[in-house]
DNA sequence: CCTCATGGTGAGGTAACCTCAGCGTATCGT
DNA sequence: ACGATACGCTGAGGTTACCTCACCATGAGG
């Protein structure tokens, strides 16, 4: 009963978060999954496509697709890996760096008002509990 | 920075929740979206398709699809609404009632171990904070 | 009774995933 | 040195869970 409503609450909050994310990203015409990839790339720099996939928790084939789209928009580029000719390195272009930074900024101010609305103590609590859930087996 | 990891944590937990839900539902060959519909129907009984859509936060057209699938599996049935011949009522069949109950049971025991792993105080805290987030404008 | 609104659905589209097979490249055992 | 095996990426094609738009039948108001 209680768990039931917990799950429901979780689901409701997730939905709101998704809606907000979508709205925040609109100005850049970047989808949520693309923005996640930009985030990984700006945190890790140049990485192999397979590593990108791993960080995003998606199949390598799916990463190929995300990278295709970002490349078409000129936000990332593929380079050969000098140490392994099978592999491709993916890196942000200058435009990609700028976009990633702008999005990061926007999320911090606009998008996450949801969390910002909590008082600091509650935010800490929430973070603690989420990390418990994250690591529970 | 802190909000960033909050968002990330939230996302990670959501993913784990989705994985678990999928696994829990496997024995019944019911998809997550179908199970949500079964849940609504077992809580509300017979409802109009449009009401079902509203409860699920999806477009009426999408509800049509979910109901199609559930009907094919014999878990729900469509009946004419005696008060409005345009409308269709959707109701669980006896099999649907049984399946919905079984799934509810399974989620309470198996699926939500994630939350069950928290101690009761943390569960209460989490519920309180999630409800704040839910209602924040 | 004529107009306009409403409930459901066919047609067709999208995002974000997936698997499977294949091609080219690397690595390892003998 | 070389053949078998494993790995990195991508083409082809599929799935899930949504969406909008147009339409049809029915209902409700002036």
């Amino acid at each position: 009963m209680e768990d039931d409503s917990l799950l429901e609450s979780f689901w409701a909050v997730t939905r709101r978060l998704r809606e907000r994310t979508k709205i925040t990203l609109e100005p850049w015409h970047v989808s949520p999954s693309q923005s996640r990839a930009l985030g990984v790339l700006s945190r890790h720099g140049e990485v192999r496509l397979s590593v990108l996939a791993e960080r995003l928790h998606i199949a390598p084939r799916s990463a190929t697709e995300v990278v295709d789209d970002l490349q078409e928009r000129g936000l990332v580029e593929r380079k050969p890996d000098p140490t392994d000719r099978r592999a491709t390195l993916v890196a942000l272009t200058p435009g990609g760096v700028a976009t990633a930074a702008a999005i990061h900024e926007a999320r911090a101010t606009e998008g996450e008002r949801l969390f910002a609305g909590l008082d600091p103590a509650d935010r800490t609590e929430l973070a603690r509990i989420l990390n418990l859930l994250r690591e529970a087996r």
Side-chain angles (χ1 to χ4, degrees), chain A:
Chain A
M1 207 72 197
E2 201 200 48
D3 276 1
D4 222 51
S5 58
L6 251 183
L7 184 61
E8 222 175 284
S9 297
F10 214 95
W11 193 62
V13 174
T14 300
R15 184 158 33 78
R16 297 203 58 180
L17 227 36
R18 264 202 305 263
E19 278 162 17
R20 289 194 174 219
T21 298
K22 218 181 76 184
I23 293 167
T24 302
L25 293 176
E26 253 163 31
W28 293 279
H29 306 286
V30 160
S31 73
S33 92
Q34 287 165 12
S35 106
R36 262 169 280 157
L38 290 177
V40 169
L41 290 173
S42 70
R43 264 176 274 129
H44 289 73
E46 211 168 72
V47 288
R48 283 196 184 181
L49 201 141
S50 52
V51 171
L52 177 61
E54 208 179 322
R55 296 277 167 196
L56 295 171
H57 305 280
I58 62 180
R61 184 59 183 87
S62 305
T64 295
E65 235 151 290
V66 176
V67 170
D68 283 351
D69 292 345
L70 290 173
Q71 194 172 28
E72 217 167 295
R73 278 168 179 69
L75 300 177
V76 307
E77 55 183 350
R78 283 179 164 92
K79 317 182 185 183
D81 181 335
T83 73
D84 186 338
R85 294 201 290 164
R86 292 169 303 180
T88 332
L89 295 176
V90 184
L92 292 174
T93 61
V97 172
T99 303
I103 288 175
H104 186 81
E105 180 75 15
R107 307 201 90 194
T109 63
E110 278 294 324
E112 307 195 17
R113 267 197 200 145
L114 201 62
F115 289 129
L118 292 175
D119 69 55
D122 282 353
R123 265 213 308 277
T124 311
E125 269 301 276
L126 179 59
R128 184 180 61 76
I129 296 175
L130 287 177
N131 280 323
L132 284 178
L133 289 173
R134 227 173 143 166
E135 271 135 44
R137 73 128 207 80

